[in-house]
């Protein structure tokens, strides 16, 4: 169908002679176009908000997750592989303290140290 000869000629509607004499001073046809506008209410943006509160809240939340993982590994180290899990709990405890979860980080560090000390110096005698 696309290869068949067309019986009408291709032309630009902006410069059409066939659609009436509604032309402006430039010689282009005067067509009515559909336009639209945004109807949303304007939003006031307050730049005086303190953005550091959001960042601190995100870092405390991230530190809390690391702190819980560190505390879980330190407690697990009391029962299984005290040197490996204790050291991992201590390292993650320092990371948690750095990210804002100081209490969880301190507990993880303390329990990890106790677990390593007990595992290396007390358990071999039993």
């Amino acid at each position: 169908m696309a290869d068949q000869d067309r019986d009408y000629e291709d032309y630009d509607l902006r410069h059409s002679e066939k659609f009436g004499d509604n032309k402006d001073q430039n010689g282009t046809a005067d067509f009515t176009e559909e336009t639209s506008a945004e109807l949303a209410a304007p939003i006031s943006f307050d730049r005086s908000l303190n953005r550091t509160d959001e960042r601190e809240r995100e870092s405390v939340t991230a530190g809390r997750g690391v702190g819980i993982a560190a505390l879980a590994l330190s407690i697990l180290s009391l029962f299984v592989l005290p040197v490996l899990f204790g050291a991992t709990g201590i390292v993650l405890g320092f990371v948690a303290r750095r990210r804002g979860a100081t209490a969880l980080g301190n507990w993880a560090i303390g329990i990890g140290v106790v677990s390593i000390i007990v595992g290396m110096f007390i358990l071999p005698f039993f």
Side-chain angles (χ1 to χ4, degrees):
M1 304 245 321
D3 296 334
Q4 296 176 355
D5 291 330
R6 296 185 179 133
D7 55 353
Y8 60 92
E9 58 188 51
D10 292 329
Y11 50 85
D12 190 4
L13 290 176
R14 290 177 294 166
H15 301 289
S16 175
E17 298 281 334
K18 299 188 177 213
F19 286 107
D21 296 330
N22 298 341
K23 297 187 178 199
D24 60 2
Q25 62 185 355
N26 296 329
T28 59
D30 185 23
F31 292 105
T32 306
E33 294 182 9
E34 182 178 343
T35 60
S36 64
E38 292 292 327
L39 298 176
I43 298 172
S44 63
F45 185 70
D46 188 13
R47 293 189 186 269
S48 65
L49 290 176
N50 192 359
R51 302 229 190 284
T52 58
D53 291 341
E54 295 175 9
R55 291 182 187 145
E56 288 175 6
R57 198 173 332 151
E58 289 176 3
S59 67
V60 168
T61 305
R64 186 179 302 146
V66 175
I68 290 172
L71 189 61
L73 283 173
S74 293
I75 291 173
L76 184 65
S77 73
L78 291 170
F79 304 105
V80 180
L81 298 172
V83 175
L84 179 68
F85 288 144
T88 307
I90 290 170
V91 170
L92 286 178
F94 279 109
V95 171
R97 281 181 55 194
R98 180 79 174 156
R99 291 191 179 182
T102 56
L104 284 172
N106 290 337
W107 275 101
I109 292 168
I111 293 173
V113 167
V114 167
S115 174
I116 289 175
I117 291 172
V118 167
M120 291 179 77
F121 298 115
I122 298 176
L123 287 180
F125 295 113
F126 289 104

